Amino acid sequence: MKAWWVDSPGPIGTHPLVRGTRDAPAAAQGELRVRVLACGVCRTDLHLAEGDLLPRRQGVIPGHEIVGQVDAIGPGVTEFHTGDLVGIAWLRHTCGRCRPCRHEQENLCERPQFTGWDCDGGYAEYATVDERYAYRLPVDADPLTTAPLLCAGIIGYRALRRTDLRPGGALGIYGFGASAHLTAQLALHQGARVHVLTRSAEAQKLALDLGVNSAAGGHDAPPEPLDAAILFAPAGELVPIALAALAPGGTLAIAGIHLSDIPSLDYQRHVFRERTIRSVTANTRRDGEEFLTIAAQLRLRPVVTTYPFENASNALADLAGDKVTGVAVLQVAADV
Ligand SMILES: [Zn+2]
Ligand SMILES: [Zn+2]
């Protein structure tokens, strides 16, 4: 099969992602083999290619927002059949025995495996998944607009829940990429007032087109105190800025898997008066199922820039250069 993999991590300009041919994987016990139709391009793929996240496997194929058709089933599979449309997401295995797993916090599993990090992902014509971690998708789902829901969407959903935003409250969104633009739509549907703070003029325009209440620069003050904020930009310098913008009792959720260093905080300005700072780590399968159901009901649609499979490296370079408005998706199969 055709595939892209991380050769030696480094700045995206040094072409850390290489394209070549690999043996297509087989479906092992309990697994589905999926013919990949589309795969979203997530900032985590960029962190992996650039070495901000060290690959956990030499030559790993990135990509964890996979929409594909079940093409073969391994022994013992009971829930899926060939031809089913499924999604493969970031979380692909948890141990089921550690303390978080036993307390319905499988996103914090001590021995997890992730798609496109521990195991090969969707920058390839075929991928595999344990059927217990596959998401069943509606037969008529559009692969290109559904793929970004599988990480950007689910993580944004979890991040929004982690803020405990009250109904009708004011939400600040720092950074406005793939996850943020889905989360903003979700929050607006739930009745929140949404203020987007991001440096890119294109992203500010997209935010306003999607109906947010205001859009300004990342270092600007929002027009009202924020009941909650989500930091999507991987920029630690925005943490004190977002905390200072919170109303007393407000919560900042940090959604990224990677964040540059956080500058020192001033207790009075940034923390006192019961402001809360929370991180967001992966998601549970329940988060995924809940979000995909809500996304289908609300007809949540990402704004997609499609890249041909051959241009995966360019897609990551565009992401690194802040040139992607909305979300980048690889069209992996020609017949999508
Ligand atoms: Zn576990
Ligand atoms: Zn992701």
Side-chain angles (χ1 to χ4, degrees):
M1 65 175 183
K2 291 188 288 185
W4 287 91
W5 58 88
V6 180
D7 187 24
S8 51
I12 197 68
T14 65
H15 303 288
L17 211 61
V18 297
R19 182 156 64 106
T21 306
R22 286 274 186 91
D23 289 339
Q29 176 78 30
E31 281 187 345
L32 317 174
R33 185 174 82 163
V34 166
R35 184 173 76 92
V36 180
L37 301 175
C39 185
V41 176
C42 176
R43 189 164 287 277
T44 299
D45 307 340
L46 180 63
H47 292 318
L48 187 73
E50 297 205 308
D52 295 323
L53 281 187
L54 289 180
R56 291 192 182 173
R57 244 196 62 198
Q58 176 63 33
V60 71
I61 297 172
H64 55 269
E65 297 182 317
I66 303 167
V67 174
Q69 207 160 32
V70 177
D71 149 270
I73 55 172
V77 166
T78 57
E79 299 297 317
F80 291 91
H81 300 94
T82 55
D84 287 349
L85 195 66
V86 298
I88 306 178
W90 175 238
L91 185 75
R92 71 182 288 114
H93 178 76
T94 53
C95 76
R97 294 186 301 275
C98 69
R99 183 183 164 84
C101 277
R102 283 186 281 111
H103 292 87
E104 293 183 27
Q105 294 176 304
E106 66 178 358
N107 60 308
L108 303 177
C109 175
E110 291 163 11
R111 287 173 291 275
Q113 289 181 5
F114 299 106
T115 309
W117 193 20
D118 298 279
C119 303
D120 287 335
Y123 287 29
E125 290 179 291
Y126 293 91
T128 57
V129 64
D130 181 324
E131 69 163 339
R132 294 169 299 171
Y133 291 81
Y135 294 100
R136 185 180 298 281
L137 298 175
V139 283
D140 59 348
D142 170 22
L144 294 169
T145 53
T146 302
L149 303 181
L150 289 158
C151 175
I154 296 172
I155 292 295
Y157 172 72
R158 185 171 180 91
L160 182 58
R161 282 217 343 247
R162 295 274 294 157
T163 66
D164 292 332
L165 179 66
R166 63 176 174 79
L171 174 71
I173 291 184
Y174 289 82
F176 203 69
S179 195
H181 93 294
L182 285 163
T183 310
Q185 294 180 57
L186 186 58
L188 288 168
H189 272 293
Q190 293 175 351
R193 290 187 308 288
V194 177
H195 303 293
V196 168
L197 300 130
T198 186
R199 65 183 171 192
S200 153
E202 279 290 302
Q204 289 179 19
K205 182 178 179 303
L206 172 62
L208 293 169
D209 289 347
L210 291 172
V212 305
N213 299 76
S214 77
H219 292 246
D220 293 340
E224 62 178 315
L226 303 172
D227 296 297
I230 305 174
L231 176 57
F232 286 105
E237 84 236 26
L238 292 175
V239 169
I241 289 169
L243 286 171
L246 288 178
T251 297
L252 169 66
I254 300 174
I257 192 171
H258 169 77
L259 188 73
S260 59
D261 287 348
I262 302 174
S264 68
L265 298 176
D266 179 284
Y267 185 63
Q268 290 295 333
R269 282 184 60 211
H270 301 133
V271 183
F272 191 56
R273 306 194 76 197
E274 303 202 338
R275 280 169 282 195
T276 302
I277 180 167
R278 287 177 162 182
S279 67
V280 180
T281 302
N283 62 274
T284 63
R285 281 171 280 179
R286 190 168 156 191
D287 293 327
E289 279 150 21
E290 284 175 5
F291 172 71
L292 291 171
T293 302
I294 293 169
Q297 283 165 357
L298 299 181
R299 301 190 169 280
L300 273 194
R301 286 282 175 276
V303 175
V304 166
T305 304
T306 304
Y307 290 77
F309 181 71
E310 291 68 30
N311 292 357
S313 189
N314 302 16
L316 285 185
D318 286 352
L319 192 61
D322 269 345
K323 288 179 194 151
V324 177
T325 301
V327 52
V329 177
L330 297 183
Q331 181 181 345
V332 179
D335 56 335
V336 175

